[in-house]
Amino acid sequence: MGLIIKKPDDAIIVNKKDGTHVAYYLFDEYEVHLNSLPPQTELVWHFHQAIEEVILIIEGEIEIHYLDNDKRMRQRVQPNDLLLVKDSIHTLINRSTKECKFVVFRLVLDGKNKLDLIKNDKKVVICCRIVSKETI
């Protein structure tokens, strides 16, 4: 299939009532969402039954609230923090005065350990050397 580049115009854009802006990039086996959460905004509490949701904070600070053995927990996260929410009941809250941006990766996993494949799949090639007209 080769390289695919998705531009903002390729995304499905949704502006939610609470002011949240989401750009949805949809693929057959996964989704990537670019989210912008306005100040003083809370997402709905939710959980996922069949997917894995991974969240990478890229700008701003946000709180993740989740239930742990029926106890409400919270933690502040910031840029470069990575959240693996698993099947937790959770929400995100932006209590700051600035917008928060984060990327959500939604994956359907099969429970098989693929770490060896992931670590060893890169193959180095030597190609694409640029040659100037003077050397031809």
Short mmCIF file of all heavy atoms in Angstrom, two decimals, residues 4-64:
data_model
loop_
_atom_site.label_atom_id
_atom_site.label_comp_id
_atom_site.label_asym_id
_atom_site.label_seq_id
_atom_site.Cartn_x
_atom_site.Cartn_y
_atom_site.Cartn_z
N ILE A 4 0.91 6.58 3.37
CA ILE A 4 -0.35 7.32 3.32
C ILE A 4 -0.20 8.55 4.20
O ILE A 4 0.25 8.44 5.34
CB ILE A 4 -1.53 6.46 3.83
CG1 ILE A 4 -1.71 5.23 2.93
CG2 ILE A 4 -2.80 7.29 3.91
CD1 ILE A 4 -2.73 4.24 3.46
N ILE A 5 -0.54 9.68 3.67
CA ILE A 5 -0.52 10.92 4.45
C ILE A 5 -1.96 11.44 4.53
O ILE A 5 -2.61 11.65 3.51
CB ILE A 5 0.39 11.98 3.81
CG1 ILE A 5 1.83 11.47 3.78
CG2 ILE A 5 0.28 13.31 4.55
CD1 ILE A 5 2.80 12.37 3.05
N LYS A 6 -2.42 11.60 5.74
CA LYS A 6 -3.77 12.14 5.96
C LYS A 6 -3.64 13.61 6.34
O LYS A 6 -2.89 13.95 7.26
CB LYS A 6 -4.49 11.38 7.07
CG LYS A 6 -4.80 9.94 6.73
CD LYS A 6 -5.94 9.85 5.77
CE LYS A 6 -6.38 8.42 5.55
NZ LYS A 6 -7.55 8.33 4.71
N LYS A 7 -4.34 14.46 5.66
CA LYS A 7 -4.35 15.89 5.92
C LYS A 7 -5.59 16.24 6.74
O LYS A 7 -6.55 15.46 6.80
CB LYS A 7 -4.39 16.66 4.59
CG LYS A 7 -3.22 16.38 3.67
CD LYS A 7 -2.02 17.14 4.12
CE LYS A 7 -0.91 17.03 3.07
NZ LYS A 7 0.18 17.91 3.35
N PRO A 8 -5.60 17.42 7.37
CA PRO A 8 -6.78 17.81 8.15
C PRO A 8 -8.10 17.72 7.37
O PRO A 8 -9.13 17.38 7.93
CB PRO A 8 -6.46 19.25 8.56
CG PRO A 8 -4.97 19.27 8.65
CD PRO A 8 -4.51 18.38 7.52
N ASP A 9 -8.06 17.97 6.06
CA ASP A 9 -9.27 17.88 5.25
C ASP A 9 -9.78 16.44 5.14
O ASP A 9 -10.94 16.22 4.77
CB ASP A 9 -9.02 18.43 3.84
CG ASP A 9 -8.88 19.94 3.83
OD1 ASP A 9 -9.23 20.59 4.83
OD2 ASP A 9 -8.40 20.48 2.81
N ASP A 10 -8.93 15.45 5.42
CA ASP A 10 -9.33 14.05 5.36
C ASP A 10 -10.07 13.60 6.61
O ASP A 10 -10.71 12.55 6.63
CB ASP A 10 -8.11 13.15 5.18
CG ASP A 10 -7.38 13.41 3.87
OD1 ASP A 10 -8.06 13.64 2.85
OD2 ASP A 10 -6.14 13.39 3.87
N ALA A 11 -9.95 14.37 7.68
CA ALA A 11 -10.55 13.99 8.95
C ALA A 11 -12.04 14.30 8.97
O ALA A 11 -12.53 15.18 8.25
CB ALA A 11 -9.86 14.73 10.09
N ILE A 12 -12.75 13.57 9.81
CA ILE A 12 -14.14 13.91 10.11
C ILE A 12 -14.09 14.86 11.30
O ILE A 12 -13.59 14.48 12.38
CB ILE A 12 -14.96 12.65 10.45
CG1 ILE A 12 -15.00 11.71 9.23
CG2 ILE A 12 -16.36 13.03 10.91
CD1 ILE A 12 -15.56 10.34 9.54
N ILE A 13 -14.55 16.07 11.12
CA ILE A 13 -14.47 17.10 12.15
C ILE A 13 -15.80 17.18 12.89
O ILE A 13 -16.85 17.30 12.27
CB ILE A 13 -14.13 18.48 11.54
CG1 ILE A 13 -12.85 18.40 10.69
CG2 ILE A 13 -14.03 19.54 12.62
CD1 ILE A 13 -11.61 18.04 11.46
N VAL A 14 -15.71 17.13 14.23
CA VAL A 14 -16.91 17.25 15.05
C VAL A 14 -16.64 18.31 16.11
O VAL A 14 -15.65 18.25 16.84
CB VAL A 14 -17.27 15.90 15.73
CG1 VAL A 14 -18.45 16.08 16.67
CG2 VAL A 14 -17.57 14.84 14.68
N ASN A 15 -17.53 19.29 16.15
CA ASN A 15 -17.51 20.30 17.20
C ASN A 15 -18.68 20.01 18.13
O ASN A 15 -19.83 20.17 17.74
CB ASN A 15 -17.62 21.71 16.61
CG ASN A 15 -16.41 22.06 15.79
OD1 ASN A 15 -15.30 22.05 16.30
ND2 ASN A 15 -16.61 22.36 14.52
N LYS A 16 -18.36 19.56 19.34
CA LYS A 16 -19.39 19.12 20.27
C LYS A 16 -20.00 20.31 21.01
O LYS A 16 -19.42 21.40 21.05
CB LYS A 16 -18.81 18.10 21.24
CG LYS A 16 -18.28 16.86 20.50
CD LYS A 16 -17.77 15.82 21.43
CE LYS A 16 -17.31 14.60 20.63
NZ LYS A 16 -16.85 13.54 21.51
N LYS A 17 -21.16 20.08 21.60
CA LYS A 17 -21.89 21.15 22.31
C LYS A 17 -21.08 21.79 23.42
O LYS A 17 -21.23 22.96 23.71
CB LYS A 17 -23.20 20.61 22.87
CG LYS A 17 -24.22 20.27 21.82
CD LYS A 17 -25.49 19.72 22.45
CE LYS A 17 -26.47 19.31 21.38
NZ LYS A 17 -27.70 18.74 21.95
N ASP A 18 -20.22 21.00 24.07
CA ASP A 18 -19.42 21.53 25.17
C ASP A 18 -18.20 22.32 24.70
O ASP A 18 -17.42 22.81 25.51
CB ASP A 18 -18.98 20.41 26.12
CG ASP A 18 -18.08 19.37 25.44
OD1 ASP A 18 -17.65 19.58 24.31
OD2 ASP A 18 -17.80 18.34 26.08
N GLY A 19 -18.03 22.44 23.39
CA GLY A 19 -16.89 23.19 22.84
C GLY A 19 -15.72 22.32 22.44
O GLY A 19 -14.76 22.79 21.84
N THR A 20 -15.79 21.03 22.77
CA THR A 20 -14.72 20.11 22.39
C THR A 20 -14.68 19.99 20.87
O THR A 20 -15.70 19.85 20.21
CB THR A 20 -14.96 18.72 23.02
OG1 THR A 20 -15.05 18.86 24.42
CG2 THR A 20 -13.85 17.76 22.67
N HIS A 21 -13.47 20.03 20.33
CA HIS A 21 -13.24 19.91 18.88
C HIS A 21 -12.48 18.60 18.66
O HIS A 21 -11.45 18.38 19.30
CB HIS A 21 -12.43 21.10 18.38
CG HIS A 21 -12.06 21.00 16.95
ND1 HIS A 21 -12.90 21.40 15.93
CD2 HIS A 21 -10.93 20.54 16.35
CE1 HIS A 21 -12.28 21.20 14.77
NE2 HIS A 21 -11.10 20.69 15.01
N VAL A 22 -12.99 17.74 17.78
CA VAL A 22 -12.33 16.47 17.51
C VAL A 22 -12.19 16.28 16.01
O VAL A 22 -13.14 16.44 15.26
CB VAL A 22 -13.12 15.27 18.11
CG1 VAL A 22 -12.33 13.98 17.92
CG2 VAL A 22 -13.43 15.49 19.58
N ALA A 23 -10.97 15.91 15.61
CA ALA A 23 -10.70 15.51 14.22
C ALA A 23 -10.50 14.00 14.24
O ALA A 23 -9.55 13.50 14.86
CB ALA A 23 -9.46 16.22 13.69
N TYR A 24 -11.40 13.28 13.61
CA TYR A 24 -11.37 11.82 13.60
C TYR A 24 -10.70 11.33 12.31
O TYR A 24 -11.15 11.64 11.22
CB TYR A 24 -12.78 11.24 13.65
CG TYR A 24 -13.54 11.50 14.92
CD1 TYR A 24 -14.37 12.60 15.04
CD2 TYR A 24 -13.43 10.63 16.00
CE1 TYR A 24 -15.08 12.83 16.21
CE2 TYR A 24 -14.13 10.85 17.17
CZ TYR A 24 -14.96 11.95 17.27
OH TYR A 24 -15.65 12.17 18.42
N TYR A 25 -9.63 10.56 12.48
CA TYR A 25 -8.98 9.89 11.36
C TYR A 25 -9.30 8.40 11.51
O TYR A 25 -8.87 7.76 12.48
CB TYR A 25 -7.47 10.12 11.39
CG TYR A 25 -7.09 11.57 11.18
CD1 TYR A 25 -6.99 12.44 12.26
CD2 TYR A 25 -6.85 12.07 9.90
CE1 TYR A 25 -6.64 13.77 12.07
CE2 TYR A 25 -6.51 13.40 9.70
CZ TYR A 25 -6.41 14.24 10.80
OH TYR A 25 -6.08 15.55 10.60
N LEU A 26 -10.06 7.84 10.57
CA LEU A 26 -10.57 6.49 10.70
C LEU A 26 -9.87 5.54 9.74
O LEU A 26 -9.69 5.85 8.56
CB LEU A 26 -12.07 6.47 10.43
CG LEU A 26 -12.91 7.47 11.23
CD1 LEU A 26 -14.37 7.38 10.84
CD2 LEU A 26 -12.73 7.27 12.72
N PHE A 27 -9.48 4.38 10.26
CA PHE A 27 -8.83 3.34 9.48
C PHE A 27 -9.53 2.02 9.80
O PHE A 27 -10.31 1.93 10.74
CB PHE A 27 -7.34 3.26 9.84
CG PHE A 27 -6.61 4.56 9.61
CD1 PHE A 27 -6.52 5.50 10.63
CD2 PHE A 27 -6.04 4.86 8.39
CE1 PHE A 27 -5.87 6.71 10.44
CE2 PHE A 27 -5.38 6.07 8.18
CZ PHE A 27 -5.30 7.00 9.21
N ASP A 28 -9.23 0.98 9.05
CA ASP A 28 -9.92 -0.31 9.25
C ASP A 28 -9.66 -0.92 10.63
O ASP A 28 -10.56 -1.51 11.21
CB ASP A 28 -9.50 -1.31 8.18
CG ASP A 28 -10.04 -0.96 6.80
OD1 ASP A 28 -10.96 -0.11 6.72
OD2 ASP A 28 -9.54 -1.51 5.81
N GLU A 29 -8.44 -0.82 11.14
CA GLU A 29 -8.10 -1.51 12.39
C GLU A 29 -7.84 -0.59 13.58
O GLU A 29 -7.57 -1.07 14.68
CB GLU A 29 -6.87 -2.38 12.17
CG GLU A 29 -7.13 -3.50 11.17
CD GLU A 29 -5.93 -4.38 10.97
OE1 GLU A 29 -4.95 -3.93 10.34
OE2 GLU A 29 -5.97 -5.52 11.46
N TYR A 30 -7.92 0.69 13.37
CA TYR A 30 -7.68 1.63 14.46
C TYR A 30 -8.22 3.00 14.08
O TYR A 30 -8.60 3.24 12.94
CB TYR A 30 -6.18 1.73 14.79
CG TYR A 30 -5.33 2.19 13.62
CD1 TYR A 30 -5.02 3.53 13.45
CD2 TYR A 30 -4.85 1.28 12.68
CE1 TYR A 30 -4.25 3.96 12.37
CE2 TYR A 30 -4.09 1.69 11.61
CZ TYR A 30 -3.79 3.03 11.46
OH TYR A 30 -3.05 3.45 10.40
N GLU A 31 -8.27 3.89 15.07
CA GLU A 31 -8.66 5.28 14.85
C GLU A 31 -7.65 6.17 15.56
O GLU A 31 -7.08 5.78 16.58
CB GLU A 31 -10.03 5.59 15.42
CG GLU A 31 -11.16 4.86 14.77
CD GLU A 31 -12.51 5.20 15.41
OE1 GLU A 31 -12.59 6.06 16.30
OE2 GLU A 31 -13.49 4.57 15.00
N VAL A 32 -7.47 7.35 15.02
CA VAL A 32 -6.65 8.37 15.67
C VAL A 32 -7.51 9.62 15.74
O VAL A 32 -8.07 10.06 14.74
CB VAL A 32 -5.35 8.65 14.87
CG1 VAL A 32 -4.52 9.73 15.55
CG2 VAL A 32 -4.53 7.38 14.69
N HIS A 33 -7.63 10.18 16.95
CA HIS A 33 -8.43 11.39 17.16
C HIS A 33 -7.53 12.49 17.67
O HIS A 33 -6.77 12.27 18.62
CB HIS A 33 -9.52 11.17 18.20
CG HIS A 33 -10.41 10.01 17.93
ND1 HIS A 33 -11.32 9.58 18.86
CD2 HIS A 33 -10.55 9.19 16.86
CE1 HIS A 33 -11.98 8.54 18.37
NE2 HIS A 33 -11.52 8.29 17.17
N LEU A 34 -7.62 13.67 17.09
CA LEU A 34 -6.94 14.85 17.61
C LEU A 34 -8.00 15.67 18.32
O LEU A 34 -8.96 16.13 17.70
CB LEU A 34 -6.29 15.64 16.47
CG LEU A 34 -5.55 16.90 16.89
CD1 LEU A 34 -4.48 16.62 17.93
CD2 LEU A 34 -4.93 17.57 15.68
N ASN A 35 -7.85 15.80 19.64
CA ASN A 35 -8.86 16.45 20.48
C ASN A 35 -8.36 17.78 21.01
O ASN A 35 -7.20 17.91 21.39
CB ASN A 35 -9.19 15.57 21.69
CG ASN A 35 -9.92 14.31 21.30
OD1 ASN A 35 -11.12 14.22 21.43
ND2 ASN A 35 -9.18 13.33 20.82
N SER A 36 -9.27 18.72 21.08
CA SER A 36 -9.02 20.02 21.70
C SER A 36 -10.12 20.24 22.73
O SER A 36 -11.30 20.31 22.38
CB SER A 36 -9.04 21.11 20.63
OG SER A 36 -8.88 22.37 21.23
N LEU A 37 -9.72 20.31 24.00
CA LEU A 37 -10.66 20.44 25.10
C LEU A 37 -10.56 21.85 25.66
O LEU A 37 -9.52 22.23 26.20
CB LEU A 37 -10.36 19.40 26.17
CG LEU A 37 -11.36 19.20 27.29
CD1 LEU A 37 -12.72 18.79 26.75
CD2 LEU A 37 -10.84 18.16 28.28
N PRO A 38 -11.63 22.65 25.55
CA PRO A 38 -11.59 24.03 26.03
C PRO A 38 -11.42 24.10 27.55
O PRO A 38 -11.68 23.12 28.26
CB PRO A 38 -12.95 24.60 25.62
CG PRO A 38 -13.54 23.64 24.67
CD PRO A 38 -12.91 22.31 24.94
N PRO A 39 -11.03 25.27 28.05
CA PRO A 39 -10.93 25.46 29.51
C PRO A 39 -12.28 25.18 30.18
O PRO A 39 -13.34 25.41 29.60
CB PRO A 39 -10.55 26.94 29.66
CG PRO A 39 -9.98 27.33 28.34
CD PRO A 39 -10.65 26.48 27.31
N GLN A 40 -12.19 24.68 31.39
CA GLN A 40 -13.38 24.45 32.24
C GLN A 40 -14.38 23.50 31.59
O GLN A 40 -15.59 23.70 31.67
CB GLN A 40 -14.04 25.78 32.61
CG GLN A 40 -13.10 26.80 33.23
CD GLN A 40 -12.40 26.26 34.48
OE1 GLN A 40 -13.03 25.68 35.35
NE2 GLN A 40 -11.09 26.46 34.56
N THR A 41 -13.87 22.45 30.94
CA THR A 41 -14.74 21.49 30.25
C THR A 41 -14.48 20.08 30.77
O THR A 41 -13.34 19.70 30.99
CB THR A 41 -14.48 21.53 28.73
OG1 THR A 41 -14.70 22.85 28.26
CG2 THR A 41 -15.40 20.59 27.98
N GLU A 42 -15.57 19.34 30.95
CA GLU A 42 -15.48 17.95 31.39
C GLU A 42 -16.14 17.05 30.35
O GLU A 42 -17.27 17.31 29.93
CB GLU A 42 -16.18 17.78 32.74
CG GLU A 42 -16.17 16.36 33.26
CD GLU A 42 -16.78 16.22 34.64
OE1 GLU A 42 -17.00 17.24 35.33
OE2 GLU A 42 -17.03 15.07 35.05
N LEU A 43 -15.44 16.00 29.95
CA LEU A 43 -16.02 15.02 29.04
C LEU A 43 -16.97 14.11 29.82
O LEU A 43 -16.90 14.03 31.05
CB LEU A 43 -14.93 14.17 28.40
CG LEU A 43 -13.90 14.91 27.54
CD1 LEU A 43 -12.89 13.93 26.96
CD2 LEU A 43 -14.58 15.69 26.43
N VAL A 44 -17.84 13.41 29.12
CA VAL A 44 -18.76 12.49 29.79
C VAL A 44 -17.97 11.30 30.34
O VAL A 44 -16.97 10.87 29.75
CB VAL A 44 -19.87 11.99 28.83
CG1 VAL A 44 -20.73 13.14 28.35
CG2 VAL A 44 -19.29 11.23 27.66
N TRP A 45 -18.44 10.76 31.47
CA TRP A 45 -17.87 9.53 32.01
C TRP A 45 -18.20 8.40 31.03
O TRP A 45 -19.31 8.32 30.51
CB TRP A 45 -18.48 9.22 33.37
CG TRP A 45 -17.90 10.04 34.48
CD1 TRP A 45 -18.30 11.28 34.88
CD2 TRP A 45 -16.82 9.68 35.34
NE1 TRP A 45 -17.54 11.72 35.93
CE2 TRP A 45 -16.62 10.74 36.24
CE3 TRP A 45 -16.00 8.55 35.44
CZ2 TRP A 45 -15.63 10.71 37.21
CZ3 TRP A 45 -15.02 8.51 36.41
CH2 TRP A 45 -14.85 9.59 37.28
N HIS A 46 -17.22 7.53 30.79
CA HIS A 46 -17.45 6.42 29.86
C HIS A 46 -16.42 5.32 30.07
O HIS A 46 -15.44 5.50 30.80
CB HIS A 46 -17.41 6.92 28.40
CG HIS A 46 -16.06 7.42 27.98
ND1 HIS A 46 -15.58 8.67 28.33
CD2 HIS A 46 -15.10 6.84 27.24
CE1 HIS A 46 -14.38 8.84 27.80
NE2 HIS A 46 -14.06 7.73 27.14
N PHE A 47 -16.65 4.19 29.42
CA PHE A 47 -15.66 3.11 29.37
C PHE A 47 -15.81 2.40 28.03
O PHE A 47 -16.76 2.64 27.29
CB PHE A 47 -15.83 2.14 30.55
CG PHE A 47 -17.02 1.24 30.46
CD1 PHE A 47 -16.88 -0.07 30.02
CD2 PHE A 47 -18.28 1.69 30.83
CE1 PHE A 47 -17.99 -0.91 29.95
CE2 PHE A 47 -19.38 0.86 30.77
CZ PHE A 47 -19.23 -0.44 30.32
N HIS A 48 -14.85 1.54 27.73
CA HIS A 48 -14.84 0.82 26.46
C HIS A 48 -14.81 -0.67 26.75
O HIS A 48 -14.03 -1.14 27.57
CB HIS A 48 -13.62 1.22 25.63
CG HIS A 48 -13.55 2.69 25.41
ND1 HIS A 48 -14.31 3.35 24.48
CD2 HIS A 48 -12.83 3.65 26.04
CE1 HIS A 48 -14.05 4.64 24.53
NE2 HIS A 48 -13.15 4.86 25.47
N GLN A 49 -15.65 -1.42 26.06
CA GLN A 49 -15.75 -2.85 26.28
C GLN A 49 -14.76 -3.64 25.43
O GLN A 49 -14.25 -4.66 25.88
CB GLN A 49 -17.16 -3.34 25.97
CG GLN A 49 -18.18 -2.79 26.92
CD GLN A 49 -19.58 -3.27 26.57
OE1 GLN A 49 -19.85 -3.73 25.47
NE2 GLN A 49 -20.49 -3.17 27.53
N ALA A 50 -14.49 -3.18 24.21
CA ALA A 50 -13.72 -4.01 23.28
C ALA A 50 -12.48 -3.34 22.72
O ALA A 50 -11.70 -4.00 22.05
CB ALA A 50 -14.62 -4.45 22.13
N ILE A 51 -12.29 -2.08 22.99
CA ILE A 51 -11.14 -1.40 22.41
C ILE A 51 -10.17 -0.95 23.49
O ILE A 51 -10.51 -0.85 24.66
CB ILE A 51 -11.55 -0.16 21.57
CG1 ILE A 51 -12.11 0.94 22.47
CG2 ILE A 51 -12.50 -0.54 20.46
CD1 ILE A 51 -12.17 2.29 21.80
N GLU A 52 -8.95 -0.69 23.06
CA GLU A 52 -7.95 -0.08 23.92
C GLU A 52 -7.85 1.39 23.51
O GLU A 52 -7.79 1.70 22.32
CB GLU A 52 -6.59 -0.75 23.71
CG GLU A 52 -5.46 -0.10 24.50
CD GLU A 52 -5.56 -0.38 26.00
OE1 GLU A 52 -5.73 -1.55 26.38
OE2 GLU A 52 -5.47 0.58 26.78
N GLU A 53 -7.89 2.26 24.50
CA GLU A 53 -7.79 3.69 24.23
C GLU A 53 -6.49 4.18 24.88
O GLU A 53 -6.29 4.00 26.08
CB GLU A 53 -9.00 4.42 24.82
CG GLU A 53 -9.09 5.86 24.41
CD GLU A 53 -10.41 6.48 24.82
OE1 GLU A 53 -10.66 6.61 26.05
OE2 GLU A 53 -11.19 6.84 23.94
N VAL A 54 -5.65 4.77 24.06
CA VAL A 54 -4.37 5.32 24.51
C VAL A 54 -4.41 6.81 24.22
O VAL A 54 -4.74 7.23 23.11
CB VAL A 54 -3.19 4.65 23.77
CG1 VAL A 54 -1.86 5.24 24.22
CG2 VAL A 54 -3.21 3.14 23.97
N ILE A 55 -4.08 7.62 25.23
CA ILE A 55 -4.18 9.07 25.11
C ILE A 55 -2.81 9.69 25.35
O ILE A 55 -2.18 9.42 26.37
CB ILE A 55 -5.20 9.64 26.12
CG1 ILE A 55 -6.58 9.00 25.90
CG2 ILE A 55 -5.27 11.16 26.01
CD1 ILE A 55 -7.58 9.30 27.00
N LEU A 56 -2.37 10.52 24.42
CA LEU A 56 -1.10 11.24 24.53
C LEU A 56 -1.41 12.72 24.65
O LEU A 56 -2.00 13.32 23.75
CB LEU A 56 -0.22 10.99 23.30
CG LEU A 56 1.09 11.76 23.25
CD1 LEU A 56 2.02 11.38 24.39
CD2 LEU A 56 1.77 11.55 21.90
N ILE A 57 -1.03 13.31 25.78
CA ILE A 57 -1.25 14.74 26.00
C ILE A 57 -0.18 15.50 25.23
O ILE A 57 1.01 15.21 25.37
CB ILE A 57 -1.17 15.09 27.51
CG1 ILE A 57 -2.08 14.18 28.33
CG2 ILE A 57 -1.48 16.57 27.73
CD1 ILE A 57 -3.54 14.21 27.99
N ILE A 58 -0.60 16.47 24.41
CA ILE A 58 0.39 17.22 23.63
C ILE A 58 0.48 18.69 24.02
O ILE A 58 1.49 19.33 23.76
CB ILE A 58 0.16 17.06 22.11
CG1 ILE A 58 -1.24 17.49 21.71
CG2 ILE A 58 0.43 15.64 21.68
CD1 ILE A 58 -1.47 17.49 20.21
N GLU A 59 -0.58 19.22 24.65
CA GLU A 59 -0.54 20.64 25.03
C GLU A 59 -1.51 20.87 26.19
O GLU A 59 -2.64 20.40 26.17
CB GLU A 59 -0.94 21.51 23.84
CG GLU A 59 -0.82 22.99 24.04
CD GLU A 59 -1.22 23.75 22.79
OE1 GLU A 59 -0.67 23.44 21.70
OE2 GLU A 59 -2.07 24.64 22.88
N GLY A 60 -1.06 21.61 27.19
CA GLY A 60 -1.91 21.95 28.32
C GLY A 60 -1.89 20.88 29.40
O GLY A 60 -1.21 19.87 29.29
N GLU A 61 -2.63 21.16 30.48
CA GLU A 61 -2.76 20.21 31.58
C GLU A 61 -4.21 19.80 31.72
O GLU A 61 -5.11 20.60 31.48
CB GLU A 61 -2.28 20.83 32.89
CG GLU A 61 -0.79 20.96 32.96
CD GLU A 61 -0.32 21.36 34.35
OE1 GLU A 61 -1.16 21.55 35.26
OE2 GLU A 61 0.90 21.48 34.52
N ILE A 62 -4.40 18.57 32.09
CA ILE A 62 -5.74 18.03 32.19
C ILE A 62 -5.78 17.04 33.36
O ILE A 62 -4.74 16.53 33.77
CB ILE A 62 -6.13 17.36 30.86
CG1 ILE A 62 -7.63 17.19 30.73
CG2 ILE A 62 -5.42 16.06 30.66
CD1 ILE A 62 -8.05 16.88 29.31
N GLU A 63 -6.95 16.82 33.90
CA GLU A 63 -7.11 15.81 34.94
C GLU A 63 -7.84 14.62 34.34
O GLU A 63 -8.82 14.78 33.62
CB GLU A 63 -7.95 16.34 36.11
CG GLU A 63 -7.26 17.38 36.94
CD GLU A 63 -8.13 17.87 38.09
OE1 GLU A 63 -9.27 17.37 38.27
OE2 GLU A 63 -7.67 18.78 38.79
N ILE A 64 -7.33 13.43 34.66
CA ILE A 64 -8.08 12.22 34.34
C ILE A 64 -8.71 11.75 35.65
O ILE A 64 -8.03 11.67 36.67
CB ILE A 64 -7.23 11.11 33.68
CG1 ILE A 64 -8.12 9.91 33.40
CG2 ILE A 64 -6.02 10.74 34.51
CD1 ILE A 64 -7.74 9.08 32.23
#
